[in-house]
Short mmCIF file of all heavy atoms in Angstrom, two decimals:
data_model
loop_
_atom_site.label_atom_id
_atom_site.label_comp_id
_atom_site.label_asym_id
_atom_site.label_seq_id
_atom_site.Cartn_x
_atom_site.Cartn_y
_atom_site.Cartn_z
N TRP A 1 18.85 -31.11 57.08
CA TRP A 1 19.66 -30.61 58.18
C TRP A 1 19.07 -31.16 59.48
O TRP A 1 17.86 -31.08 59.70
CB TRP A 1 19.67 -29.08 58.21
CG TRP A 1 20.63 -28.48 57.25
CD1 TRP A 1 20.35 -27.99 56.00
CD2 TRP A 1 22.05 -28.31 57.44
NE1 TRP A 1 21.50 -27.53 55.40
CE2 TRP A 1 22.56 -27.71 56.27
CE3 TRP A 1 22.93 -28.58 58.49
CZ2 TRP A 1 23.91 -27.39 56.12
CZ3 TRP A 1 24.26 -28.28 58.34
CH2 TRP A 1 24.74 -27.69 57.16
N TYR A 2 19.96 -31.66 60.32
CA TYR A 2 19.59 -32.21 61.60
C TYR A 2 20.34 -31.45 62.68
O TYR A 2 21.36 -30.81 62.40
CB TYR A 2 19.99 -33.69 61.68
CG TYR A 2 19.36 -34.58 60.62
CD1 TYR A 2 19.82 -34.54 59.31
CD2 TYR A 2 18.34 -35.46 60.94
CE1 TYR A 2 19.26 -35.36 58.33
CE2 TYR A 2 17.78 -36.28 59.98
CZ TYR A 2 18.24 -36.23 58.68
OH TYR A 2 17.68 -37.04 57.72
N ARG A 3 19.86 -31.55 63.90
CA ARG A 3 20.61 -30.94 65.00
C ARG A 3 20.50 -31.81 66.25
O ARG A 3 19.51 -32.54 66.43
CB ARG A 3 20.12 -29.53 65.29
CG ARG A 3 18.72 -29.43 65.87
CD ARG A 3 18.31 -27.96 66.01
NE ARG A 3 16.98 -27.81 66.59
CZ ARG A 3 16.35 -26.65 66.70
NH1 ARG A 3 16.95 -25.52 66.28
NH2 ARG A 3 15.15 -26.58 67.25
N GLN A 4 21.51 -31.70 67.07
CA GLN A 4 21.52 -32.42 68.33
C GLN A 4 21.97 -31.48 69.43
O GLN A 4 23.12 -31.03 69.46
CB GLN A 4 22.44 -33.64 68.27
CG GLN A 4 22.37 -34.52 69.50
CD GLN A 4 23.06 -35.85 69.30
OE1 GLN A 4 23.92 -36.01 68.44
NE2 GLN A 4 22.68 -36.85 70.09
N ALA A 5 21.04 -31.17 70.29
CA ALA A 5 21.34 -30.31 71.44
C ALA A 5 21.92 -31.16 72.56
O ALA A 5 21.71 -32.38 72.60
CB ALA A 5 20.07 -29.61 71.89
N PRO A 6 22.63 -30.55 73.49
CA PRO A 6 23.22 -31.31 74.60
C PRO A 6 22.16 -32.11 75.35
O PRO A 6 21.13 -31.58 75.74
CB PRO A 6 23.82 -30.22 75.48
CG PRO A 6 24.10 -29.09 74.55
CD PRO A 6 23.00 -29.13 73.53
N GLY A 7 22.41 -33.39 75.51
CA GLY A 7 21.49 -34.25 76.23
C GLY A 7 20.24 -34.64 75.48
O GLY A 7 19.34 -35.28 76.05
N GLN A 8 20.15 -34.25 74.22
CA GLN A 8 18.95 -34.53 73.44
C GLN A 8 19.28 -35.46 72.27
O GLN A 8 20.43 -35.62 71.89
CB GLN A 8 18.37 -33.23 72.88
CG GLN A 8 18.03 -32.19 73.93
CD GLN A 8 16.91 -32.64 74.84
OE1 GLN A 8 15.92 -33.24 74.39
NE2 GLN A 8 17.06 -32.37 76.14
N GLN A 9 18.25 -36.05 71.71
CA GLN A 9 18.43 -36.87 70.52
C GLN A 9 18.55 -35.98 69.29
O GLN A 9 18.04 -34.86 69.26
CB GLN A 9 17.25 -37.83 70.36
CG GLN A 9 17.23 -38.94 71.40
CD GLN A 9 16.28 -40.05 71.03
OE1 GLN A 9 15.36 -39.85 70.24
NE2 GLN A 9 16.50 -41.23 71.58
N ARG A 10 19.20 -36.51 68.30
CA ARG A 10 19.32 -35.79 67.04
C ARG A 10 17.94 -35.71 66.38
O ARG A 10 17.18 -36.67 66.39
CB ARG A 10 20.31 -36.49 66.12
CG ARG A 10 20.64 -35.74 64.85
CD ARG A 10 21.66 -36.53 64.06
NE ARG A 10 23.00 -36.47 64.63
CZ ARG A 10 23.76 -37.52 64.89
NH1 ARG A 10 23.31 -38.74 64.65
NH2 ARG A 10 24.97 -37.37 65.38
N GLU A 11 17.63 -34.54 65.81
CA GLU A 11 16.33 -34.34 65.17
C GLU A 11 16.50 -33.65 63.84
O GLU A 11 17.39 -32.84 63.63
CB GLU A 11 15.44 -33.49 66.08
CG GLU A 11 15.96 -32.08 66.33
CD GLU A 11 15.00 -31.21 67.14
OE1 GLU A 11 13.86 -31.63 67.40
OE2 GLU A 11 15.41 -30.08 67.49
N LEU A 12 15.59 -33.98 62.94
CA LEU A 12 15.55 -33.33 61.63
C LEU A 12 14.88 -31.97 61.78
O LEU A 12 13.83 -31.86 62.41
CB LEU A 12 14.76 -34.19 60.65
CG LEU A 12 14.54 -33.64 59.24
CD1 LEU A 12 15.86 -33.58 58.48
CD2 LEU A 12 13.54 -34.50 58.49
N VAL A 13 15.47 -30.92 61.21
CA VAL A 13 14.86 -29.60 61.29
C VAL A 13 14.42 -29.07 59.93
O VAL A 13 13.51 -28.24 59.87
CB VAL A 13 15.79 -28.57 61.96
CG1 VAL A 13 16.03 -28.94 63.41
CG2 VAL A 13 17.11 -28.43 61.22
N ALA A 14 15.04 -29.54 58.85
CA ALA A 14 14.67 -29.04 57.53
C ALA A 14 15.08 -30.07 56.49
O ALA A 14 16.08 -30.77 56.66
CB ALA A 14 15.34 -27.71 57.24
N SER A 15 14.32 -30.13 55.41
CA SER A 15 14.64 -31.06 54.33
C SER A 15 14.29 -30.44 52.99
O SER A 15 13.47 -29.52 52.90
CB SER A 15 13.87 -32.37 54.50
OG SER A 15 12.48 -32.16 54.45
N ILE A 16 14.95 -30.95 51.95
CA ILE A 16 14.70 -30.47 50.59
C ILE A 16 14.78 -31.66 49.66
O ILE A 16 15.75 -32.43 49.70
CB ILE A 16 15.68 -29.35 50.20
CG1 ILE A 16 15.35 -28.79 48.82
CG2 ILE A 16 17.14 -29.80 50.30
CD1 ILE A 16 16.06 -27.47 48.52
N THR A 17 13.78 -31.81 48.82
CA THR A 17 13.75 -32.95 47.92
C THR A 17 14.62 -32.69 46.70
O THR A 17 15.12 -31.58 46.48
CB THR A 17 12.31 -33.23 47.45
OG1 THR A 17 11.89 -32.16 46.58
CG2 THR A 17 11.35 -33.35 48.62
N ALA A 18 14.76 -33.72 45.87
CA ALA A 18 15.53 -33.57 44.63
C ALA A 18 14.89 -32.54 43.71
O ALA A 18 15.57 -31.89 42.91
CB ALA A 18 15.63 -34.92 43.93
N GLU A 19 13.57 -32.36 43.83
CA GLU A 19 12.85 -31.38 43.02
C GLU A 19 12.85 -29.98 43.62
O GLU A 19 12.31 -29.05 43.03
CB GLU A 19 11.40 -31.85 42.82
CG GLU A 19 11.26 -33.14 42.02
CD GLU A 19 11.58 -34.36 42.86
OE1 GLU A 19 11.52 -34.28 44.11
OE2 GLU A 19 11.91 -35.41 42.27
N GLY A 20 13.44 -29.87 44.83
CA GLY A 20 13.53 -28.55 45.45
C GLY A 20 12.39 -28.20 46.39
O GLY A 20 12.29 -27.06 46.84
N VAL A 21 11.55 -29.18 46.70
CA VAL A 21 10.46 -28.93 47.64
C VAL A 21 11.02 -28.97 49.06
O VAL A 21 11.70 -29.92 49.43
CB VAL A 21 9.35 -29.97 47.48
CG1 VAL A 21 8.25 -29.74 48.51
CG2 VAL A 21 8.78 -29.93 46.06
N THR A 22 10.73 -27.94 49.83
CA THR A 22 11.31 -27.82 51.16
C THR A 22 10.27 -28.03 52.25
O THR A 22 9.07 -27.85 52.05
CB THR A 22 11.96 -26.45 51.36
OG1 THR A 22 10.96 -25.44 51.24
CG2 THR A 22 13.04 -26.21 50.31
N ASP A 23 10.78 -28.40 53.40
CA ASP A 23 9.93 -28.56 54.58
C ASP A 23 10.78 -28.27 55.80
O ASP A 23 11.97 -28.60 55.83
CB ASP A 23 9.36 -29.97 54.65
CG ASP A 23 8.28 -30.11 55.71
OD1 ASP A 23 7.64 -29.09 56.05
OD2 ASP A 23 8.06 -31.23 56.21
N VAL A 24 10.17 -27.63 56.79
CA VAL A 24 10.86 -27.36 58.04
C VAL A 24 9.94 -27.75 59.18
O VAL A 24 8.71 -27.77 59.03
CB VAL A 24 11.28 -25.89 58.18
CG1 VAL A 24 12.29 -25.50 57.11
CG2 VAL A 24 10.07 -24.96 58.12
N THR A 25 10.53 -28.05 60.31
CA THR A 25 9.73 -28.44 61.46
C THR A 25 9.18 -27.20 62.16
O THR A 25 9.68 -26.09 61.97
CB THR A 25 10.56 -29.28 62.44
OG1 THR A 25 11.70 -28.52 62.84
CG2 THR A 25 11.02 -30.57 61.78
N ASP A 26 8.18 -27.42 62.97
CA ASP A 26 7.50 -26.30 63.61
C ASP A 26 8.42 -25.38 64.43
O ASP A 26 8.25 -24.15 64.38
CB ASP A 26 6.36 -26.82 64.49
CG ASP A 26 5.18 -27.29 63.65
OD1 ASP A 26 5.12 -26.94 62.45
OD2 ASP A 26 4.32 -28.02 64.19
N PRO A 27 9.38 -25.92 65.19
CA PRO A 27 10.21 -25.03 66.02
C PRO A 27 11.02 -24.00 65.21
O PRO A 27 11.42 -22.97 65.76
CB PRO A 27 11.15 -25.99 66.75
CG PRO A 27 10.41 -27.28 66.78
CD PRO A 27 9.69 -27.33 65.47
N VAL A 28 11.26 -24.26 63.95
CA VAL A 28 12.08 -23.35 63.15
C VAL A 28 11.30 -22.74 62.00
O VAL A 28 11.87 -21.98 61.21
CB VAL A 28 13.35 -24.06 62.61
CG1 VAL A 28 14.13 -24.70 63.76
CG2 VAL A 28 12.99 -25.10 61.56
N LYS A 29 10.04 -23.04 61.91
CA LYS A 29 9.22 -22.54 60.80
C LYS A 29 9.19 -21.02 60.82
O LYS A 29 9.02 -20.39 61.86
CB LYS A 29 7.81 -23.11 60.90
CG LYS A 29 6.96 -22.90 59.67
CD LYS A 29 5.80 -23.88 59.64
CE LYS A 29 6.30 -25.29 59.40
NZ LYS A 29 5.18 -26.28 59.28
N GLY A 30 9.39 -20.44 59.64
CA GLY A 30 9.41 -18.99 59.52
C GLY A 30 10.75 -18.37 59.85
O GLY A 30 10.94 -17.16 59.67
N ARG A 31 11.70 -19.18 60.34
CA ARG A 31 13.02 -18.66 60.71
C ARG A 31 14.15 -19.31 59.93
O ARG A 31 15.13 -18.64 59.59
CB ARG A 31 13.25 -18.87 62.21
CG ARG A 31 12.21 -18.22 63.10
CD ARG A 31 12.60 -18.29 64.56
NE ARG A 31 12.68 -19.67 65.05
CZ ARG A 31 13.81 -20.23 65.52
NH1 ARG A 31 14.94 -19.55 65.53
NH2 ARG A 31 13.80 -21.48 65.97
N PHE A 32 14.04 -20.59 59.65
CA PHE A 32 15.09 -21.33 58.94
C PHE A 32 14.65 -21.62 57.51
O PHE A 32 13.48 -21.93 57.27
CB PHE A 32 15.39 -22.66 59.62
CG PHE A 32 16.09 -22.56 60.95
CD1 PHE A 32 16.24 -21.35 61.62
CD2 PHE A 32 16.61 -23.70 61.55
CE1 PHE A 32 16.88 -21.27 62.84
CE2 PHE A 32 17.26 -23.65 62.78
CZ PHE A 32 17.38 -22.43 63.42
N THR A 33 15.61 -21.57 56.59
CA THR A 33 15.35 -21.90 55.19
C THR A 33 16.44 -22.83 54.69
O THR A 33 17.63 -22.55 54.87
CB THR A 33 15.31 -20.63 54.32
OG1 THR A 33 14.33 -19.73 54.83
CG2 THR A 33 14.98 -20.99 52.88
N ILE A 34 16.04 -23.91 54.05
CA ILE A 34 17.00 -24.84 53.46
C ILE A 34 17.03 -24.64 51.95
O ILE A 34 16.00 -24.34 51.32
CB ILE A 34 16.63 -26.31 53.81
CG1 ILE A 34 17.72 -27.27 53.34
CG2 ILE A 34 15.26 -26.68 53.27
CD1 ILE A 34 17.52 -28.71 53.83
N SER A 35 18.21 -24.79 51.38
CA SER A 35 18.35 -24.67 49.93
C SER A 35 19.47 -25.59 49.47
O SER A 35 20.24 -26.12 50.29
CB SER A 35 18.62 -23.22 49.51
OG SER A 35 19.80 -22.74 50.12
N ARG A 36 19.57 -25.75 48.16
CA ARG A 36 20.60 -26.63 47.61
C ARG A 36 21.16 -26.05 46.32
O ARG A 36 20.47 -25.30 45.62
CB ARG A 36 20.03 -28.03 47.36
CG ARG A 36 18.91 -28.08 46.34
CD ARG A 36 18.22 -29.45 46.34
NE ARG A 36 19.10 -30.50 45.83
CZ ARG A 36 18.88 -31.79 46.04
NH1 ARG A 36 17.82 -32.19 46.75
NH2 ARG A 36 19.71 -32.70 45.54
N ASP A 37 22.39 -26.43 46.02
CA ASP A 37 23.04 -26.07 44.76
C ASP A 37 23.55 -27.37 44.15
O ASP A 37 24.55 -27.92 44.61
CB ASP A 37 24.18 -25.08 45.01
CG ASP A 37 24.80 -24.57 43.72
OD1 ASP A 37 24.84 -25.34 42.73
OD2 ASP A 37 25.26 -23.43 43.70
N ASN A 38 22.84 -27.85 43.15
CA ASN A 38 23.19 -29.15 42.57
C ASN A 38 24.53 -29.13 41.84
O ASN A 38 25.23 -30.13 41.79
CB ASN A 38 22.10 -29.62 41.62
CG ASN A 38 20.84 -30.06 42.36
OD1 ASN A 38 20.87 -30.37 43.55
ND2 ASN A 38 19.72 -30.07 41.65
N LEU A 39 24.90 -27.99 41.29
CA LEU A 39 26.18 -27.92 40.57
C LEU A 39 27.34 -27.99 41.55
O LEU A 39 28.35 -28.65 41.27
CB LEU A 39 26.24 -26.63 39.76
CG LEU A 39 25.32 -26.55 38.54
CD1 LEU A 39 25.46 -25.20 37.85
CD2 LEU A 39 25.61 -27.68 37.56
N LYS A 40 27.20 -27.33 42.67
CA LYS A 40 28.28 -27.32 43.67
C LYS A 40 28.16 -28.47 44.66
O LYS A 40 29.07 -28.67 45.48
CB LYS A 40 28.27 -25.99 44.43
CG LYS A 40 28.57 -24.78 43.57
CD LYS A 40 28.56 -23.51 44.40
CE LYS A 40 28.89 -22.29 43.54
NZ LYS A 40 28.87 -21.03 44.36
N LYS A 41 27.05 -29.19 44.60
CA LYS A 41 26.80 -30.28 45.56
C LYS A 41 26.84 -29.76 47.00
O LYS A 41 27.52 -30.31 47.87
CB LYS A 41 27.79 -31.43 45.36
CG LYS A 41 27.70 -32.07 44.00
CD LYS A 41 28.61 -33.28 43.89
CE LYS A 41 28.47 -33.94 42.53
NZ LYS A 41 29.33 -35.15 42.41
N MET A 42 26.10 -28.70 47.20
CA MET A 42 26.05 -28.05 48.50
C MET A 42 24.60 -27.96 48.99
O MET A 42 23.68 -27.79 48.20
CB MET A 42 26.61 -26.63 48.42
CG MET A 42 28.06 -26.53 48.01
SD MET A 42 29.20 -27.00 49.33
CE MET A 42 28.93 -25.67 50.49
N VAL A 43 24.46 -28.05 50.30
CA VAL A 43 23.18 -27.84 50.96
C VAL A 43 23.39 -26.72 51.97
O VAL A 43 24.40 -26.71 52.67
CB VAL A 43 22.66 -29.10 51.67
CG1 VAL A 43 21.24 -28.89 52.18
CG2 VAL A 43 22.72 -30.32 50.76
N TYR A 44 22.42 -25.81 52.06
CA TYR A 44 22.56 -24.66 52.94
C TYR A 44 21.39 -24.60 53.93
O TYR A 44 20.29 -25.04 53.64
CB TYR A 44 22.57 -23.36 52.13
CG TYR A 44 23.66 -23.31 51.08
CD1 TYR A 44 23.37 -23.57 49.75
CD2 TYR A 44 24.96 -23.00 51.43
CE1 TYR A 44 24.36 -23.52 48.78
CE2 TYR A 44 25.97 -22.94 50.47
CZ TYR A 44 25.66 -23.21 49.15
OH TYR A 44 26.65 -23.17 48.20
N LEU A 45 21.67 -24.02 55.07
CA LEU A 45 20.63 -23.73 56.04
C LEU A 45 20.80 -22.28 56.49
O LEU A 45 21.80 -21.95 57.14
CB LEU A 45 20.69 -24.66 57.24
CG LEU A 45 19.55 -24.50 58.25
CD1 LEU A 45 18.23 -24.98 57.63
CD2 LEU A 45 19.84 -25.25 59.54
N ASP A 46 19.86 -21.44 56.12
CA ASP A 46 19.86 -20.06 56.56
C ASP A 46 19.04 -19.95 57.84
O ASP A 46 17.84 -20.24 57.83
CB ASP A 46 19.30 -19.14 55.48
CG ASP A 46 20.26 -19.00 54.32
OD1 ASP A 46 21.37 -18.47 54.54
OD2 ASP A 46 19.92 -19.42 53.20
N MET A 47 19.71 -19.54 58.88
CA MET A 47 19.08 -19.40 60.19
C MET A 47 18.87 -17.93 60.48
O MET A 47 19.83 -17.15 60.49
CB MET A 47 19.97 -20.03 61.27
CG MET A 47 20.35 -21.48 60.99
SD MET A 47 21.60 -22.10 62.12
CE MET A 47 20.81 -21.85 63.71
N ASN A 48 17.64 -17.53 60.70
CA ASN A 48 17.31 -16.15 61.05
C ASN A 48 16.55 -16.13 62.38
O ASN A 48 15.95 -17.13 62.77
CB ASN A 48 16.47 -15.51 59.95
CG ASN A 48 17.20 -15.41 58.64
OD1 ASN A 48 18.27 -14.80 58.56
ND2 ASN A 48 16.66 -16.02 57.59
#
């Protein structure tokens, strides 16, 4: 998942590997969670 704020460059905020290993950047750590559903071919970002 990437985001682009007004006037800013697009940045990666969260990623998930094919094996399900996740990583998030410091600004969203502890608040955002990325997940995937391989059967539905969906990627999710839960923002808290």
Side-chain angles (χ1 to χ4, degrees):
W1 279 98
Y2 301 75
R3 69 184 181 186
Q4 186 168 23
Q8 303 294 319
Q9 290 194 338
R10 187 178 285 129
E11 63 175 352
L12 177 68
V13 295
S15 62
I16 184 166
T17 69
E19 295 78 21
V21 177
T22 62
D23 190 25
V24 296
T25 58
D26 286 344
V28 306
K29 192 160 291 183
R31 302 188 297 118
F32 290 11
T33 303
I34 187 172
S35 59
R36 62 190 292 163
D37 185 327
N38 288 340
L39 290 179
K40 296 181 179 179
K41 299 185 178 181
M42 298 285 293
V43 188
Y44 303 100
L45 185 69
D46 288 297
M47 306 171 58
N48 297 302

